[in-house]
Amino acid sequence: MNLRIAAIRSGTEPVRKLTTGSFQRWLETPVLCPKCDVTYNLAVDWDQSSDRWFPETSRPLITLLKKAIHMGHSTDHRVTHFETEGVVVESITPLLP
């Protein structure tokens, strides 16, 4: 099972279901935009986060999310939900009616 981490902007709800597992774990350290006071909380599947290798395997994914959040500053952080699995960061936007 590949590790998938979601970054949700504080004060907003996830745009889609977070993980395939039944329980999510919210990581203790949020990701901050270095240019303003916007924070994103990180969510990961409970089983994946309890793996003994989680700190090592999650580090590159969290770095990718930090870069995406930093780049989102130029658009006033309109994207409130990012997910990453592997080397791609997906910006999830709500469907317009």
Side-chain angles (χ1 to χ4, degrees):
M1 180 168 26
N2 292 332
L3 180 61
R4 178 180 287 267
I5 299 177
I8 312 297
R9 185 174 173 179
S10 296
T12 63
E13 293 293 321
V15 176
R16 71 175 183 197
K17 186 177 176 184
L18 290 178
T19 61
T20 58
S22 57
F23 295 105
Q24 289 80 36
R25 176 180 172 199
W26 294 90
L27 300 182
E28 297 169 0
T29 307
V31 177
L32 306 171
C33 176
K35 295 184 176 184
C36 62
D37 60 350
V38 173
T39 60
Y40 284 79
N41 297 316
L42 300 177
V44 67
D45 181 63
W46 180 266
D47 292 334
Q48 292 176 338
S49 68
S50 60
D51 181 33
R52 67 187 265 193
W53 303 110
F54 178 74
E56 288 81 19
T57 58
S58 65
R59 188 175 302 125
L61 299 178
I62 292 173
T63 302
L64 286 173
L65 288 169
K66 286 179 181 180
K67 288 180 182 179
I69 290 167
H70 179 64
M71 290 173 51
H73 180 78
S74 63
T75 60
D76 201 25
H77 297 288
R78 281 186 274 152
V79 177
T80 61
H81 186 151
F82 293 101
E83 284 189 17
T84 185
E85 180 178 13
V87 296
V88 177
V89 175
E90 185 179 0
S91 302
I92 302 165
T93 55
L95 297 174
L96 299 175

Coordinates of all heavy atoms in Angstrom, one line a residue:
M1 N 0.8 -1.2 0.0 CA 0.0 0.0 0.0 C 0.9 1.2 0.0 O 1.8 1.4 0.8 CB -0.9 0.0 1.2 CG -1.8 1.1 1.3 SD -3.1 1.1 2.6 CE -2.6 0.0 3.8
N2 N 0.6 2.1 -0.9 CA 1.4 3.4 -1.0 C 1.0 4.4 0.0 O -0.2 4.5 0.3 CB 1.3 4.0 -2.4 CG 2.0 3.1 -3.4 OD1 2.9 2.4 -3.1 ND2 1.5 3.1 -4.7
L3 N 1.9 5.2 0.5 CA 1.6 6.2 1.5 C 0.9 7.4 0.8 O 1.5 7.9 -0.2 CB 2.9 6.6 2.2 CG 2.8 7.7 3.3 CD1 1.9 7.2 4.4 CD2 4.1 8.0 3.8
R4 N -0.2 7.8 1.3 CA -0.9 9.0 0.8 C -1.1 9.9 2.0 O -1.6 9.6 3.0 CB -2.2 8.6 0.2 CG -3.0 9.8 -0.3 CD -4.4 9.3 -0.9 NE -4.2 8.7 -2.2 CZ -4.3 9.3 -3.3 NH1 -4.5 10.6 -3.4 NH2 -4.1 8.7 -4.5
I5 N -0.7 11.2 1.7 CA -0.9 12.2 2.8 C -1.7 13.4 2.2 O -1.5 13.8 1.1 CB 0.5 12.8 3.2 CG1 1.3 11.6 3.8 CG2 0.3 13.9 4.3 CD1 2.7 12.1 4.3
A6 N -2.6 13.9 3.0 CA -3.5 15.0 2.6 C -3.2 16.2 3.4 O -2.9 16.1 4.6 CB -5.0 14.6 2.7
A7 N -3.2 17.4 2.8 CA -3.0 18.6 3.5 C -4.3 19.4 3.3 O -4.7 19.7 2.2 CB -1.8 19.4 2.9
I8 N -5.0 19.7 4.4 CA -6.2 20.4 4.5 C -6.0 21.8 5.1 O -5.5 21.8 6.3 CB -7.3 19.6 5.2 CG1 -7.4 18.1 4.8 CG2 -8.7 20.3 5.1 CD1 -7.7 17.9 3.3
R9 N -6.5 22.8 4.5 CA -6.3 24.2 5.0 C -7.2 24.3 6.3 O -8.3 23.8 6.4 CB -6.8 25.2 4.0 CG -6.5 26.6 4.6 CD -6.8 27.6 3.5 NE -6.7 29.0 4.1 CZ -6.9 30.1 3.5 NH1 -7.2 30.0 2.2 NH2 -6.8 31.2 4.1
S10 N -6.6 24.8 7.4 CA -7.3 25.0 8.6 C -8.5 25.8 8.4 O -8.6 26.8 7.7 CB -6.4 25.7 9.6 OG -5.2 25.0 9.9
G11 N -9.6 25.4 9.1 CA -10.9 26.1 9.0 C -11.7 25.6 7.8 O -12.8 26.1 7.6
T12 N -11.3 24.7 7.0 CA -12.0 24.2 5.9 C -12.2 22.7 6.0 O -11.5 22.0 6.8 CB -11.3 24.5 4.5 OG1 -10.1 23.8 4.5 CG2 -11.1 25.9 4.4
E13 N -13.2 22.1 5.3 CA -13.4 20.7 5.3 C -12.7 20.1 4.1 O -12.5 20.7 3.1 CB -15.0 20.5 5.2 CG -15.7 20.9 6.4 CD -15.4 20.1 7.6 OE1 -15.3 18.9 7.5 OE2 -15.3 20.7 8.7
P14 N -12.4 18.8 4.2 CA -11.8 18.1 3.0 C -12.8 18.1 1.8 O -14.0 18.0 2.0 CB -11.6 16.7 3.5 CG -11.6 16.8 5.0 CD -12.5 17.9 5.3
V15 N -12.3 18.3 0.6 CA -13.2 18.3 -0.5 C -13.7 17.0 -0.9 O -14.8 16.8 -1.4 CB -12.4 19.0 -1.7 CG1 -13.3 19.0 -3.0 CG2 -12.0 20.4 -1.4
R16 N -12.9 15.9 -0.7 CA -13.3 14.6 -1.0 C -12.9 13.7 0.2 O -12.1 14.1 1.1 CB -12.8 14.1 -2.3 CG -11.3 13.8 -2.3 CD -10.9 13.2 -3.7 NE -9.5 12.9 -3.6 CZ -8.8 12.7 -4.7 NH1 -9.3 12.7 -5.9 NH2 -7.5 12.4 -4.6
K17 N -13.3 12.4 0.2 CA -12.9 11.5 1.2 C -11.4 11.4 1.3 O -10.7 11.3 0.3 CB -13.5 10.1 0.9 CG -13.3 9.1 1.9 CD -14.0 7.8 1.6 CE -13.7 6.8 2.7 NZ -14.3 5.5 2.3
L18 N -10.9 11.4 2.5 CA -9.5 11.5 2.7 C -8.7 10.2 2.3 O -7.8 10.3 1.5 CB -9.1 11.8 4.2 CG -9.5 13.2 4.6 CD1 -9.2 13.4 6.0 CD2 -8.8 14.2 3.7
T19 N -9.0 9.1 2.9 CA -8.2 7.9 2.6 C -9.1 6.7 2.4 O -10.3 6.8 2.7 CB -7.3 7.6 3.8 OG1 -8.0 7.4 4.9 CG2 -6.3 8.7 4.0
T20 N -8.6 5.6 2.0 CA -9.4 4.4 1.8 C -9.6 3.7 3.1 O -10.5 2.9 3.2 CB -8.6 3.4 0.8 OG1 -7.4 3.2 1.4 CG2 -8.5 4.1 -0.5
G21 N -8.8 4.0 4.1 CA -8.9 3.3 5.4 C -10.1 3.9 6.2 O -10.8 4.9 5.8
S22 N -10.4 3.3 7.3 CA -11.6 3.7 8.1 C -11.3 4.9 9.1 O -12.2 5.6 9.4 CB -12.2 2.5 8.8 OG -11.2 2.0 9.7
F23 N -10.0 5.0 9.5 CA -9.7 6.0 10.4 C -8.5 6.8 9.9 O -7.6 6.3 9.3 CB -9.2 5.4 11.8 CG -10.3 4.7 12.5 CD1 -10.4 3.3 12.5 CD2 -11.3 5.4 13.1 CE1 -11.4 2.7 13.2 CE2 -12.3 4.8 13.8 CZ -12.4 3.4 13.8
Q24 N -8.6 8.1 10.1 CA -7.5 9.0 9.7 C -6.8 9.5 11.0 O -7.4 9.6 12.0 CB -8.0 10.3 8.9 CG -8.4 10.0 7.5 CD -9.8 9.4 7.5 OE1 -10.7 9.8 8.3 NE2 -10.1 8.5 6.6
R25 N -5.5 9.8 10.8 CA -4.7 10.3 11.9 C -4.3 11.7 11.4 O -3.7 11.9 10.3 CB -3.5 9.5 12.2 CG -2.6 10.1 13.3 CD -1.4 9.2 13.5 NE -0.5 9.9 14.4 CZ 0.8 9.6 14.5 NH1 1.3 8.6 13.8 NH2 1.6 10.2 15.3
W26 N -4.5 12.7 12.3 CA -4.1 14.1 12.0 C -2.7 14.2 12.6 O -2.6 14.1 13.8 CB -5.1 15.1 12.5 CG -6.4 15.0 11.8 CD1 -7.4 14.3 12.1 CD2 -6.7 15.7 10.6 NE1 -8.4 14.4 11.2 CE2 -8.0 15.3 10.2 CE3 -6.1 16.6 9.7 CZ2 -8.7 15.8 9.1 CZ3 -6.7 17.1 8.6 CH2 -8.0 16.7 8.3
L27 N -1.7 14.5 11.8 CA -0.4 14.7 12.3 C -0.3 15.9 13.2 O -1.0 16.9 13.0 CB 0.6 14.7 11.2 CG 0.7 13.5 10.3 CD1 1.8 13.7 9.2 CD2 0.9 12.2 11.1
E28 N 0.6 15.9 14.2 CA 0.7 17.0 15.2 C 1.2 18.3 14.6 O 0.8 19.3 15.1 CB 1.5 16.5 16.4 CG 0.9 15.3 17.1 CD 1.9 14.7 18.1 OE1 3.0 15.2 18.2 OE2 1.5 13.7 18.7
T29 N 2.1 18.2 13.7 CA 2.8 19.4 13.2 C 2.1 19.8 11.9 O 2.2 19.1 10.9 CB 4.3 19.1 13.0 OG1 4.8 18.6 14.2 CG2 5.0 20.4 12.6
P30 N 1.5 21.0 11.9 CA 0.9 21.5 10.6 C 1.9 22.1 9.7 O 3.1 22.4 10.2 CB -0.1 22.5 11.1 CG 0.4 23.0 12.4 CD 1.1 21.8 13.0
V31 N 1.6 22.2 8.5 CA 2.5 22.9 7.5 C 2.1 24.4 7.4 O 0.9 24.7 7.2 CB 2.4 22.2 6.1 CG1 3.3 22.9 5.1 CG2 2.9 20.8 6.2
L32 N 3.0 25.3 7.5 CA 2.7 26.7 7.5 C 3.2 27.3 6.2 O 4.3 26.9 5.7 CB 3.4 27.4 8.7 CG 3.2 26.8 10.1 CD1 4.1 27.5 11.1 CD2 1.7 27.1 10.5
C33 N 2.5 28.3 5.7 CA 3.0 29.0 4.6 C 4.0 30.0 5.1 O 3.8 30.7 6.1 CB 1.8 29.8 3.9 SG 2.4 30.9 2.6
P34 N 5.2 30.0 4.5 CA 6.3 30.8 5.0 C 6.1 32.3 4.8 O 6.8 33.1 5.4 CB 7.5 30.4 4.2 CG 7.0 29.8 3.0 CD 5.6 29.2 3.3
K35 N 5.1 32.7 4.0 CA 4.9 34.1 3.7 C 3.7 34.7 4.4 O 3.5 35.9 4.4 CB 4.7 34.3 2.2 CG 5.9 34.0 1.4 CD 5.7 34.3 -0.1 CE 7.0 34.1 -0.8 NZ 6.8 34.4 -2.3
C36 N 2.8 33.9 4.9 CA 1.6 34.4 5.7 C 1.3 33.5 6.8 O 2.0 32.6 7.1 CB 0.5 34.6 4.7 SG -0.1 33.1 3.9
D37 N 0.1 33.6 7.4 CA -0.2 32.9 8.6 C -1.2 31.7 8.2 O -1.9 31.2 9.1 CB -0.9 33.8 9.6 CG -2.1 34.5 9.1 OD1 -2.4 34.4 7.9 OD2 -2.8 35.1 9.9
V38 N -1.2 31.2 7.0 CA -2.1 30.1 6.6 C -1.5 28.8 7.1 O -0.3 28.6 6.9 CB -2.4 30.1 5.1 CG1 -3.1 28.9 4.7 CG2 -3.1 31.4 4.7
T39 N -2.3 27.9 7.7 CA -1.8 26.6 8.1 C -2.6 25.5 7.4 O -3.8 25.7 7.1 CB -1.9 26.4 9.6 OG1 -3.2 26.5 10.0 CG2 -1.0 27.4 10.3
Y40 N -1.9 24.4 7.1 CA -2.6 23.2 6.6 C -2.3 22.1 7.5 O -1.2 21.8 7.9 CB -2.0 22.9 5.2 CG -2.5 23.8 4.1 CD1 -2.0 25.1 3.9 CD2 -3.5 23.4 3.2 CE1 -2.4 25.9 2.9 CE2 -3.9 24.2 2.2 CZ -3.4 25.5 2.0 OH -3.8 26.3 1.0
N41 N -3.4 21.3 7.9 CA -3.2 20.2 8.7 C -3.0 19.0 7.8 O -3.6 18.8 6.8 CB -4.5 20.0 9.6 CG -4.7 21.2 10.5 OD1 -3.7 21.6 11.2 ND2 -5.9 21.6 10.6
L42 N -2.2 18.0 8.3 CA -1.8 16.8 7.5 C -2.6 15.6 8.1 O -2.6 15.4 9.3 CB -0.3 16.6 7.6 CG 0.6 17.7 7.1 CD1 2.0 17.3 7.3 CD2 0.3 17.9 5.6
A43 N -3.2 14.9 7.1 CA -4.0 13.7 7.5 C -3.4 12.5 6.7 O -3.0 12.6 5.6 CB -5.4 13.9 7.1
V44 N -3.3 11.4 7.4 CA -2.8 10.1 6.8 C -3.6 9.0 7.4 O -4.2 9.1 8.5 CB -1.3 10.0 7.1 CG1 -1.0 9.8 8.6 CG2 -0.7 8.9 6.3
D45 N -3.7 7.9 6.7 CA -4.3 6.7 7.2 C -3.7 6.2 8.5 O -2.5 6.2 8.6 CB -4.3 5.6 6.1 CG -5.0 4.3 6.5 OD1 -6.2 4.4 6.7 OD2 -4.3 3.3 6.7
W46 N -4.5 5.8 9.4 CA -4.0 5.4 10.8 C -3.0 4.2 10.7 O -2.0 4.2 11.3 CB -5.2 5.0 11.7 CG -4.7 4.5 13.0 CD1 -4.5 3.3 13.4 CD2 -4.4 5.4 14.1 NE1 -4.0 3.3 14.7 CE2 -4.0 4.6 15.2 CE3 -4.5 6.8 14.3 CZ2 -3.6 5.1 16.4 CZ3 -4.1 7.3 15.5 CH2 -3.7 6.5 16.6
D47 N -3.3 3.2 9.9 CA -2.4 2.0 9.7 C -1.1 2.4 9.2 O 0.0 2.0 9.6 CB -3.1 1.0 8.9 CG -4.3 0.3 9.5 OD1 -4.3 0.4 10.8 OD2 -5.2 -0.2 8.8
Q48 N -1.1 3.3 8.2 CA 0.2 3.8 7.6 C 1.0 4.6 8.5 O 2.2 4.5 8.5 CB -0.1 4.6 6.3 CG -0.7 3.7 5.2 CD -1.0 4.5 4.0 OE1 -1.2 5.8 4.0 NE2 -1.1 3.9 2.8
S49 N 0.3 5.4 9.3 CA 1.1 6.3 10.2 C 1.6 5.5 11.4 O 2.6 6.0 12.1 CB 0.2 7.4 10.7 OG -0.9 6.9 11.6
S50 N 1.1 4.4 11.7 CA 1.7 3.6 12.8 C 2.8 2.7 12.4 O 3.4 1.9 13.2 CB 0.5 2.8 13.5 OG 0.0 1.9 12.6
D51 N 3.2 2.7 11.1 CA 4.3 1.9 10.6 C 5.6 2.4 11.2 O 5.8 3.6 11.4 CB 4.3 2.0 9.1 CG 5.5 1.1 8.5 OD1 5.8 0.1 9.1 OD2 6.0 1.6 7.5
R52 N 6.5 1.6 11.5 CA 7.8 2.0 12.1 C 8.6 2.8 11.2 O 9.5 3.6 11.6 CB 8.6 0.8 12.7 CG 9.1 -0.1 11.6 CD 9.7 -1.3 12.2 NE 11.1 -1.1 12.3 CZ 12.0 -2.1 12.5 NH1 11.6 -3.3 12.7 NH2 13.3 -1.8 12.6
W53 N 8.4 2.7 9.9 CA 9.2 3.5 8.9 C 8.5 4.8 8.5 O 9.0 5.5 7.6 CB 9.5 2.6 7.7 CG 10.2 1.4 8.0 CD1 9.7 0.1 8.0 CD2 11.5 1.2 8.5 NE1 10.6 -0.8 8.4 CE2 11.8 -0.2 8.7 CE3 12.6 2.1 8.8 CZ2 13.0 -0.6 9.2 CZ3 13.8 1.6 9.2 CH2 14.0 0.3 9.4
F54 N 7.4 5.1 9.1 CA 6.6 6.3 8.7 C 7.4 7.6 8.7 O 7.3 8.3 7.7 CB 5.4 6.4 9.6 CG 4.6 7.6 9.2 CD1 3.8 7.7 8.1 CD2 4.6 8.8 10.0 CE1 3.0 8.8 7.7 CE2 3.8 9.9 9.7 CZ 3.1 9.9 8.5
P55 N 8.2 7.9 9.7 CA 9.0 9.1 9.7 C 9.9 9.3 8.4 O 10.0 10.3 7.9 CB 9.8 9.1 11.0 CG 9.0 8.2 11.9 CD 8.4 7.2 11.0
E56 N 10.5 8.2 8.0 CA 11.4 8.2 6.9 C 10.6 8.2 5.6 O 11.0 9.0 4.6 CB 12.4 7.0 6.9 CG 13.4 7.0 7.9 CD 12.9 6.6 9.3 OE1 11.9 5.9 9.4 OE2 13.5 6.9 10.3
T57 N 9.6 7.5 5.4 CA 8.8 7.4 4.2 C 7.9 8.7 4.0 O 7.6 9.0 2.8 CB 7.9 6.2 4.1 OG1 7.0 6.2 5.2 CG2 8.8 4.9 4.1
S58 N 7.6 9.3 5.0 CA 6.7 10.5 4.9 C 7.5 11.8 4.6 O 6.9 12.8 4.1 CB 5.8 10.7 6.2 OG 6.7 11.0 7.3
R59 N 8.7 11.8 5.0 CA 9.5 13.1 4.8 C 9.5 13.6 3.4 O 9.2 14.8 3.2 CB 11.0 12.8 5.3 CG 11.8 14.1 5.4 CD 13.2 13.9 6.0 NE 13.1 13.3 7.3 CZ 13.6 12.2 7.7 NH1 14.4 11.5 6.8 NH2 13.5 11.7 8.9
P60 N 9.7 12.8 2.3 CA 9.7 13.4 1.0 C 8.3 13.9 0.6 O 8.2 14.9 -0.1 CB 10.2 12.3 0.1 CG 10.4 11.1 0.9 CD 10.2 11.5 2.3
L61 N 7.3 13.2 1.0 CA 5.9 13.6 0.7 C 5.5 14.9 1.4 O 4.9 15.8 0.8 CB 4.9 12.5 1.1 CG 5.1 11.2 0.4 CD1 4.1 10.2 0.9 CD2 5.1 11.3 -1.1
I62 N 5.9 15.1 2.6 CA 5.7 16.3 3.3 C 6.4 17.5 2.7 O 5.9 18.6 2.6 CB 6.0 16.1 4.8 CG1 5.0 15.2 5.5 CG2 6.0 17.5 5.6 CD1 5.3 14.8 6.9
T63 N 7.6 17.2 2.2 CA 8.4 18.3 1.5 C 7.7 18.7 0.3 O 7.6 19.9 0.0 CB 9.8 17.7 1.2 OG1 10.5 17.4 2.4 CG2 10.6 18.8 0.4
L64 N 7.1 17.8 -0.5 CA 6.3 18.1 -1.7 C 5.1 18.9 -1.3 O 4.8 19.9 -2.0 CB 5.9 16.8 -2.4 CG 7.0 16.1 -3.2 CD1 6.4 14.8 -3.7 CD2 7.5 17.0 -4.3
L65 N 4.4 18.6 -0.3 CA 3.3 19.4 0.2 C 3.7 20.8 0.6 O 2.9 21.7 0.3 CB 2.5 18.6 1.3 CG 1.8 17.4 0.9 CD1 1.3 16.6 2.1 CD2 0.6 17.7 0.0
K66 N 4.8 20.9 1.3 CA 5.3 22.2 1.7 C 5.5 23.1 0.4 O 5.2 24.3 0.4 CB 6.5 22.1 2.5 CG 6.3 21.6 3.9 CD 7.6 21.5 4.6 CE 7.5 21.0 6.0 NZ 8.7 20.9 6.8
K67 N 6.1 22.5 -0.6 CA 6.4 23.3 -1.8 C 5.1 23.7 -2.5 O 4.9 24.8 -3.0 CB 7.2 22.5 -2.8 CG 8.6 22.3 -2.3 CD 9.4 21.5 -3.3 CE 10.9 21.3 -2.8 NZ 11.7 20.5 -3.8
A68 N 4.1 22.8 -2.5 CA 2.8 23.1 -3.2 C 2.1 24.2 -2.4 O 1.5 25.1 -3.0 CB 1.9 21.9 -3.2
I69 N 2.2 24.2 -1.1 CA 1.5 25.2 -0.2 C 2.2 26.6 -0.4 O 1.6 27.6 -0.6 CB 1.5 24.8 1.2 CG1 0.5 23.6 1.4 CG2 1.2 25.9 2.2 CD1 0.6 22.9 2.7
H70 N 3.6 26.5 -0.5 CA 4.3 27.7 -0.8 C 3.9 28.3 -2.1 O 3.8 29.6 -2.3 CB 5.8 27.4 -0.7 CG 6.7 28.6 -1.0 ND1 6.7 29.7 -0.1 CD2 7.5 28.9 -2.0 CE1 7.5 30.6 -0.6 NE2 8.1 30.1 -1.7
M71 N 3.8 27.5 -3.2 CA 3.4 28.0 -4.5 C 2.0 28.5 -4.5 O 1.6 29.4 -5.3 CB 3.6 26.9 -5.5 CG 5.0 26.6 -5.8 SD 5.3 25.1 -6.8 CE 4.3 25.5 -8.2
G72 N 1.1 28.0 -3.6 CA -0.3 28.4 -3.5 C -0.4 29.8 -2.9 O -1.5 30.4 -3.0
H73 N 0.6 30.3 -2.4 CA 0.5 31.7 -1.8 C 0.3 32.7 -2.9 O -0.4 33.7 -2.7 CB 1.8 32.0 -1.1 CG 1.8 33.4 -0.5 ND1 1.2 33.7 0.7 CD2 2.4 34.6 -0.9 CE1 1.4 35.0 1.0 NE2 2.1 35.5 0.0
S74 N 0.8 32.5 -4.1 CA 0.6 33.4 -5.2 C -0.9 33.5 -5.7 O -1.3 34.4 -6.3 CB 1.5 33.0 -6.4 OG 1.1 31.8 -6.9
T75 N -1.7 32.4 -5.4 CA -3.1 32.4 -5.7 C -4.0 32.6 -4.5 O -5.1 32.3 -4.5 CB -3.5 31.1 -6.5 OG1 -3.2 30.0 -5.6 CG2 -2.7 31.0 -7.8
D76 N -3.4 33.2 -3.5 CA -4.1 33.5 -2.2 C -4.7 32.3 -1.6 O -5.7 32.3 -1.0 CB -5.2 34.5 -2.5 CG -5.6 35.3 -1.2 OD1 -4.8 35.3 -0.3 OD2 -6.8 35.7 -1.2
H77 N -4.0 31.1 -1.7 CA -4.4 29.9 -1.1 C -5.8 29.5 -1.4 O -6.5 29.1 -0.5 CB -4.1 29.9 0.4 CG -2.7 30.1 0.8 ND1 -1.7 29.1 0.6 CD2 -2.0 31.2 1.2 CE1 -0.6 29.6 1.0 NE2 -0.7 30.8 1.3
R78 N -6.2 29.6 -2.7 CA -7.6 29.2 -3.0 C -7.8 27.7 -3.0 O -8.9 27.3 -2.7 CB -7.9 29.7 -4.5 CG -8.3 31.2 -4.5 CD -8.7 31.6 -5.8 NE -7.5 31.9 -6.6 CZ -7.4 31.8 -7.9 NH1 -8.3 31.4 -8.6 NH2 -6.2 32.1 -8.5
V79 N -6.7 26.9 -3.2 CA -6.8 25.5 -3.1 C -6.7 25.1 -1.6 O -5.8 25.5 -0.9 CB -5.7 24.8 -3.9 CG1 -5.8 23.3 -3.7 CG2 -5.8 25.1 -5.3
T80 N -7.8 24.4 -1.1 CA -7.8 24.1 0.3 C -7.5 22.7 0.6 O -7.4 22.3 1.8 CB -9.2 24.4 0.9 OG1 -10.2 23.6 0.3 CG2 -9.5 25.9 0.8
H81 N -7.3 21.8 -0.4 CA -7.1 20.4 -0.2 C -6.0 19.9 -1.2 O -6.2 20.0 -2.4 CB -8.4 19.7 -0.4 CG -8.4 18.2 -0.1 ND1 -9.5 17.5 0.3 CD2 -7.4 17.3 -0.2 CE1 -9.2 16.3 0.5 NE2 -7.9 16.1 0.2
F82 N -4.9 19.5 -0.7 CA -3.8 18.9 -1.5 C -3.7 17.4 -1.0 O -3.8 17.1 0.1 CB -2.5 19.6 -1.3 CG -2.4 21.0 -1.8 CD1 -2.5 22.0 -0.9 CD2 -2.2 21.2 -3.1 CE1 -2.4 23.3 -1.4 CE2 -2.1 22.5 -3.6 CZ -2.2 23.6 -2.7
E83 N -3.3 16.5 -2.0 CA -3.0 15.2 -1.6 C -1.8 14.8 -2.4 O -1.6 15.2 -3.5 CB -4.1 14.2 -1.9 CG -5.2 14.2 -0.9 CD -6.3 13.1 -1.1 OE1 -5.9 12.1 -1.8 OE2 -7.4 13.3 -0.6
T84 N -0.9 13.9 -1.8 CA 0.2 13.4 -2.5 C 0.4 11.9 -2.3 O 0.1 11.4 -1.2 CB 1.5 14.2 -2.1 OG1 2.6 13.7 -2.9 CG2 1.8 14.0 -0.7
E85 N 0.8 11.3 -3.3 CA 1.2 9.8 -3.2 C 2.2 9.6 -4.3 O 2.0 9.8 -5.5 CB 0.0 9.0 -3.5 CG 0.3 7.5 -3.4 CD -1.0 6.6 -3.7 OE1 -2.0 7.2 -4.1 OE2 -0.9 5.4 -3.4
G86 N 3.4 9.3 -3.9 CA 4.5 9.2 -4.8 C 5.1 10.6 -5.1 O 5.4 11.3 -4.1
V87 N 5.3 11.0 -6.3 CA 6.0 12.3 -6.7 C 5.0 13.3 -7.2 O 5.4 14.4 -7.6 CB 7.1 12.1 -7.7 CG1 8.2 11.2 -7.1 CG2 6.6 11.5 -9.0
V88 N 3.7 13.1 -7.2 CA 2.7 14.0 -7.7 C 1.9 14.6 -6.5 O 1.4 13.9 -5.7 CB 1.8 13.3 -8.7 CG1 0.7 14.2 -9.2 CG2 2.6 12.7 -9.8
V89 N 1.7 15.9 -6.6 CA 0.8 16.6 -5.6 C -0.4 16.9 -6.4 O -0.4 17.6 -7.4 CB 1.5 17.8 -5.0 CG1 0.5 18.6 -4.1 CG2 2.7 17.5 -4.2
E90 N -1.6 16.5 -5.9 CA -2.8 16.7 -6.5 C -3.6 17.8 -5.8 O -3.8 17.8 -4.6 CB -3.7 15.4 -6.5 CG -5.0 15.4 -7.2 CD -5.7 14.1 -7.2 OE1 -5.2 13.2 -6.5 OE2 -6.8 14.0 -7.7
S91 N -4.0 18.9 -6.6 CA -4.8 19.9 -6.0 C -6.3 19.6 -6.2 O -6.7 19.4 -7.4 CB -4.5 21.3 -6.7 OG -3.2 21.6 -6.6
I92 N -7.0 19.4 -5.1 CA -8.4 18.9 -5.2 C -9.3 20.1 -5.0 O -9.2 20.8 -4.0 CB -8.6 17.8 -4.2 CG1 -7.7 16.7 -4.5 CG2 -10.1 17.4 -4.3 CD1 -7.6 15.7 -3.4
T93 N -10.1 20.4 -6.0 CA -11.0 21.5 -6.0 C -12.4 21.0 -6.0 O -12.7 20.0 -6.7 CB -10.7 22.5 -7.2 OG1 -10.8 21.8 -8.4 CG2 -9.4 23.1 -7.1
P94 N -13.3 21.7 -5.4 CA -14.7 21.3 -5.5 C -15.3 21.4 -6.9 O -14.9 22.2 -7.7 CB -15.5 22.2 -4.5 CG -14.6 23.4 -4.4 CD -13.2 22.9 -4.7
L95 N -16.2 20.4 -7.2 CA -16.9 20.5 -8.5 C -17.9 21.6 -8.5 O -18.6 21.8 -7.6 CB -17.6 19.1 -8.7 CG -16.7 17.9 -8.8 CD1 -17.5 16.6 -8.9 CD2 -15.7 18.0 -10.0
L96 N -17.9 22.3 -9.6 CA -18.8 23.4 -9.8 C -20.1 22.9 -10.4 O -20.0 22.1 -11.4 CB -18.2 24.5 -10.7 CG -16.9 25.2 -10.2 CD1 -16.4 26.1 -11.2 CD2 -17.2 25.9 -8.9
P97 N -21.3 23.3 -9.9 CA -22.5 22.8 -10.5 C -22.8 23.3 -11.9 O -22.3 24.2 -12.4 CB -23.6 23.3 -9.5 CG -22.9 24.4 -8.8 CD -21.5 24.3 -8.9

